[in-house]
Amino acid sequence: MYVCMPADHDSIRHTQRVVAAELRLQHCPPEQIADTQRVVADLLGPLCQAADVHQYGLTIQQSPTTPGAVRVSVNTGDTNMQSEIPIPRPRPPTDDIQGL
């Protein structure tokens, strides 16, 4: 999946919704969808604050190197960043303890 958006904070939220919809279509688990949305916000946030960035392209695809992982790529023309999110992402042990 590829999306091209203007570099502003409203676009980040819209891109996160598009990413979630795409990953649901790919039957990804909720934890991976949430992790991917966080990574998208982390990658796009600084770009949208940069005065010289007017738009970005974001690509989501299955990782060619890590089974069960999703690759997120962001391109602004001058910058290209990638991150892989495995299914599900490793969690600290406290995530398994209810009430903490």
Side-chain angles (χ1 to χ4, degrees), residues 9 22 46 60 65 68 73 85:
H9 289 285
E22 174 66 20
I60 299 282
T65 57
S73 302
I85 299 94

Side-chain angles (χ1 to χ4, degrees), residues 8-42:
D8 60 42
H9 289 285
D10 291 334
S11 294
I12 294 173
R13 289 186 291 277
H14 181 71
T15 301
Q16 287 177 301
R17 288 190 298 270
V18 170
V19 165
E22 174 66 20
L23 295 181
R24 280 193 291 275
L25 287 173
Q26 293 183 25
H27 306 288
C28 293
E31 298 87 5
Q32 186 180 31
I33 294 170
D35 286 348
T36 304
Q37 288 179 300
R38 272 190 295 280
V39 167
V40 165
D42 290 347

